[in-house]
Amino acid sequence: MRILLNEEIPVSIWKDFINLNPYGSPFQTAEYFNFYNSVPGQSAIAIAIFKNDQITALSVVTLQKECGIKSYFSKRAIIYGGPLVVDDGNGTSLNILLSEINKIIKGKAIYAETRNFFNYERYIPLFKNAGWMYQPYLNYQLYFNNSEDIWNKFNTNRKRQIKKALKCGVISREAQSKEEVEAYYFVLKNLYKKRIRKPLPGKKFFIELFNRQLAKIFLIHYKNRIIGGIVCPVFSKKAIYEFYVCGLDQEYKEASPSVMATYAAIEYACLNGISYFDFMGAGKPDDNYGVRDFKSKFGGNIVEFGRFKKILEPNLYNLGSAVMKAKARIKK
């Protein structure tokens, strides 16, 4: 077996492997690898295991950190969707891949985490042997056939909010310019600063997504203002993902901008033959997570695909966790 990194991986073989792999997602593509290496505070490493000139395992590991002094204890390695593997019976390819990931991220991250979009249960022993622990984590996935089908899945309150917003004159459409993306980012940044208090990429991250056409960005317009929106990577006709969503829900209750942003993405998926909408996370099962309640009202299936985590620098990890918990208490 051979290990190829980054630009060593033939793009055509890379593309074919992802399109045919049942665990494929846009986050493991060469396009997203290049994107992550184009914006400040972000980078990525691509690792492919080859056997007989064919890929048997692949992962795009994104390396992220905050600016300034926070970068010291915020360095993290995130694998969106989890690694891609061809099941070879004994797990050889995944073992080699995990070993290579462990070597590459050492010194570059405080912790590493896979954010699984599919059921990786059968691979838990292999991850455990490589020093990764499994953590339960929920998600919602919404499958549909047509517009009537998705409407019937929404709960009564969700339908009422959408009808009211449309009656009030709310309009949703794709971002048309860099300036519109910047207006969306202003809303998103304020939300993260005041309520969510978690790391958020800089403005250039979202502008580059728009410029490279790597995600659909649906914006909510109301009274000549952008009051919300959603960023959704799309993977062929298979899936669309809720990457970042926001809305001025308190200021414009009658417009329900966060609801309308999510609805715009779901409607686009349905009209364009995309199989399902992935909400990209609904919290830990035992946590009281308000976002889970919001997502549940769209009628998706709740799944528990979990996450794998590897803590590389325990002292810095514990420090960073303590800071995040302190921020959460201040928020309350």
Side-chain angles (χ1 to χ4, degrees):
M1 290 189 173
R2 295 184 298 147
I3 301 171
L4 297 184
L5 303 177
N6 304 329
E7 289 80 5
E8 296 174 349
I9 307 169
V11 174
S12 60
I13 298 176
W14 186 344
K15 183 176 181 179
D16 289 343
F17 175 73
I18 290 175
N19 287 335
L20 294 173
N21 194 284
Y23 297 154
S25 81
F27 299 97
Q28 291 111 352
T29 63
E31 289 82 4
Y32 264 83
F33 163 74
N34 291 326
F35 160 72
Y36 268 96
N37 284 307
S38 72
V39 292
Q42 313 274 335
S43 61
I45 301 166
I47 307 163
I49 311 303
F50 274 75
K51 182 179 181 181
N52 299 329
D53 296 324
Q54 295 297 318
I55 298 176
T56 56
L58 181 142
S59 184
V60 173
V61 183
T62 67
L63 300 172
Q64 307 173 23
K65 63 181 179 180
E66 306 311 296
C67 298
I69 193 171
K70 289 188 291 186
S71 67
Y72 187 64
F73 58 85
S74 66
K75 296 184 297 181
R76 55 203 181 274
I78 306 297
I79 303 173
Y80 292 104
L84 304 185
V85 185
V86 172
D87 194 352
D88 54 10
N90 57 12
T92 301
S93 297
L94 181 57
N95 278 329
I96 295 173
L97 179 65
L98 292 176
S99 176
E100 192 64 22
I101 291 173
N102 288 345
K103 283 190 279 186
I104 286 176
I105 63 177
K106 188 175 182 180
K108 294 183 174 68
I110 293 169
Y111 73 94
E113 183 176 78
T114 72
R115 298 184 178 176
N116 303 337
F117 297 158
F118 303 95
N119 190 343
Y120 278 76
E121 184 178 8
R122 60 179 167 170
Y123 297 120
I124 290 177
L126 297 179
F127 275 91
K128 185 177 180 179
N129 289 339
W132 297 67
M133 56 184 172
Y134 178 82
Q135 296 183 328
Y137 206 88
L138 303 175
N139 188 24
Y140 277 98
Q141 293 179 333
L142 176 61
Y143 288 81
F144 36 73
N145 296 312
N146 51 54
S147 297
E148 183 179 353
D149 184 35
I150 61 169
W151 186 254
N152 290 335
K153 291 178 184 293
F154 298 164
N155 84 342
T156 302
N157 184 54
R158 205 46 99 231
K159 293 177 183 178
R160 180 189 60 79
Q161 289 174 308
I162 294 169
K163 288 179 179 178
K164 183 178 180 181
L166 292 173
K167 188 175 180 180
C168 288
V170 170
I171 297 172
S172 62
R173 66 167 184 255
E174 287 188 51
Q176 302 294 310
S177 66
K178 170 187 170 183
E179 289 72 25
E180 287 192 342
V181 176
E182 289 176 340
Y184 160 79
Y185 181 74
F186 179 79
V187 177
L188 182 67
K189 185 178 181 181
N190 282 337
L191 174 68
Y192 269 70
K193 182 179 180 179
K194 294 178 180 178
R195 293 181 56 195
I196 297 180
R197 302 196 179 190
K198 291 183 178 180
L200 177 70
K203 181 169 61 177
K204 188 175 180 181
F205 181 93
F206 297 90
I207 292 173
E208 277 300 298
L209 275 175
F210 172 74
N211 288 339
R212 293 169 181 253
Q213 299 182 347
L214 291 178
K216 294 290 181 179
I217 303 178
F218 302 98
L219 303 179
I220 303 305
H221 297 256
Y222 184 57
K223 295 184 176 180
N224 298 315
R225 182 182 179 186
I226 291 173
I227 63 169
I230 188 169
V231 175
C232 294
V234 179
F235 186 53
S236 184
K237 294 290 185 179
K238 295 181 181 179
I240 184 170
Y241 300 83
E242 180 189 276
F243 203 9
Y244 289 94
V245 63
C246 67
L248 296 173
D249 297 314
Q250 296 302 314
E251 297 88 335
Y252 298 96
K253 292 182 180 180
E254 72 279 13
S256 302
S258 294
V259 170
M260 294 305 292
T262 305
Y263 176 59
I266 292 171
E267 186 177 45
Y268 171 85
C270 186
L271 294 174
N272 287 274
I274 297 171
S275 298
Y276 69 93
F277 182 88
D278 193 304
F279 284 89
M280 286 189 70
K284 297 177 182 178
D286 297 331
D287 285 356
N288 184 14
Y289 192 53
V291 176
R292 184 187 310 146
D293 183 60
F294 172 85
K295 294 179 178 182
S296 70
K297 290 180 171 57
F298 288 96
N301 300 319
I302 192 165
V303 295
E304 197 250 276
F305 295 151
R307 294 177 170 182
F308 295 106
K309 179 172 281 189
K310 184 178 181 66
I311 299 173
L312 303 165
E313 298 187 36
N315 292 335
L316 289 175
Y317 177 81
N318 291 334
L319 175 61
S321 297
V323 170
M324 294 301 296
K325 288 178 181 178
K327 285 185 175 182
R329 286 195 293 269
I330 293 171
K331 179 181 69 172
K332 293 177 181 179

